[in-house]
Amino acid sequence: MSVLVYTESEGQKFKKAAFEVASYAKGVATMLGTTVTAVSINGGDSSELGTYGVDKVLEIKNDKLSTFNAKAYADAIKQAAVQEGAKVVVVSSTADSKFLAPLLAVHLNAGYASNVVELPESVSPFKVKRTAFTNKAFNVTEMPTDVKVIGLSNNAFGLKENEGAAASDAFDPSLSDGDFGVQVTAVDKATDKVSIADAEIVVSGGRGLKGPENWGMIEELADVLGAATACSKPVSDMGWRPHSEHVGQTGKPVASNLYIAVGVSGAIQHLAGINASKVKVVINNDPEAPFFKAADYGIVGDAFEVVPKLIEKLKEFKSNNA
């Protein structure tokens, strides 16, 4: 009866979220006195997972699963959970995992707790702490079902390395044509940038930048920090930036370790979507901008003066500490 964890990958490389859920699963397994088994679907080097506490990897190699399909993936993970007799299944909070987790819970007749931020408060009864009200509050949820599906909030637990090695077994789930009733026909995405979902740091711009021609300094700041770039809704609506960078309640949620907002006023919908970020910094020339009330650090100043100086100082710091 191991703890099962779904470890996401892309281009045969495990995502950072995969290592975080593996670390969390190890913590749960320790509390339950059991081991961790990972499910890898067309993933990479499974030995990497051993570093984060995984004892065994069920490797699925299937061309039909080369692109994400929520129903098929949920069915495959369910079969792995049944084989292993898993009572706790851990997934991440990426868009794909949020899509498949409810389907997986239905397959397993399990309870599902999303946005979990800590190890269980207790395992008998099984209680987990979750964010609520767009990350403005926490609640403790008791899960009385025999099987539990836990959705770990991004960047909530961190990466915890462990000594050990993961054994690898081939796993061939039985998938029917019904699992592929909905199919992805094309995927168009940038591959050379840090994605918002995987980023530990996000640099976001708003209308205060006055136009798309000024986005170079946002991208340069992001490059220096190894961050992803994002934007507010008005910016994407005006076509300054692609909608894929729109963050907030009506865009992509952000739960980064550091969120830097440049020229973003801080509309309530924007703040609701980024509120899970651990440290929030705002740069704005309007001292009355709502974002200052939500930020941990604020700079009142012209972004066109502050950001270049910040880039210069960061480059100097990196050069001196290389």
Side-chain angles (χ1 to χ4, degrees), residues 82-151:
V82 170
Q83 175 181 291
E84 297 298 308
K87 299 300 183 184
V88 178
V89 181
V90 182
V91 300
S92 71
S93 289
T94 65
D96 287 351
S97 285
K98 283 185 173 180
F99 193 178
L100 72 81
L103 298 172
L104 177 61
V106 170
H107 277 313
L108 294 170
N109 195 27
Y112 170 43
S114 60
N115 300 321
V116 172
V117 294
E118 292 180 354
L119 287 173
E121 287 194 358
S122 68
V123 294
S124 183
F126 201 95
K127 294 182 178 180
V128 291
K129 184 177 181 179
R130 311 166 54 215
T131 58
F133 301 113
T134 60
N135 302 308
K136 293 180 179 175
F138 296 102
N139 72 40
V140 175
T141 299
E142 182 174 334
M143 305 178 73
T145 53
D146 184 41
V147 181
K148 294 102 174 146
V149 176
I150 296 176

Side-chain angles (χ1 to χ4, degrees), residues 52-237:
Y52 299 95
V54 172
D55 299 286
K56 183 171 75 173
V57 182
L58 298 179
E59 291 197 68
I60 299 173
K61 301 293 184 185
N62 188 326
D63 290 341
K64 288 185 175 181
L65 300 175
S66 59
T67 55
F68 177 74
N69 182 302
K71 191 174 182 181
Y73 272 48
D75 193 4
I77 298 167
K78 169 251 181 179
Q79 292 178 44
V82 170
Q83 175 181 291
E84 297 298 308
K87 299 300 183 184
V88 178
V89 181
V90 182
V91 300
S92 71
S93 289
T94 65
D96 287 351
S97 285
K98 283 185 173 180
F99 193 178
L100 72 81
L103 298 172
L104 177 61
V106 170
H107 277 313
L108 294 170
N109 195 27
Y112 170 43
S114 60
N115 300 321
V116 172
V117 294
E118 292 180 354
L119 287 173
E121 287 194 358
S122 68
V123 294
S124 183
F126 201 95
K127 294 182 178 180
V128 291
K129 184 177 181 179
R130 311 166 54 215
T131 58
F133 301 113
T134 60
N135 302 308
K136 293 180 179 175
F138 296 102
N139 72 40
V140 175
T141 299
E142 182 174 334
M143 305 178 73
T145 53
D146 184 41
V147 181
K148 294 102 174 146
V149 176
I150 296 176
L152 179 66
S153 187
N154 291 337
N155 293 317
F157 191 72
L159 306 183
K160 315 288 184 187
E161 294 191 4
N162 289 272
E163 292 185 4
S168 177
D169 287 345
F171 182 62
D172 185 18
S174 176
L175 302 174
S176 66
D177 291 341
D179 286 321
F180 298 93
V182 177
Q183 296 186 353
V184 176
T185 57
V187 176
D188 184 13
K189 61 187 298 184
T191 58
D192 58 342
K193 294 182 178 179
V194 180
S195 69
I196 292 173
D198 291 333
E200 294 192 14
I201 304 174
V202 173
V203 179
S204 180
R207 279 187 296 184
L209 290 171
K210 300 180 181 179
E213 67 276 10
N214 296 318
W215 227 261
M217 64 180 185
I218 297 295
E219 293 178 326
E220 185 175 2
L221 178 58
D223 284 342
V224 173
L225 292 170
T229 57
C231 68
S232 62
K233 184 176 185 297
V235 165
S236 64
D237 286 346

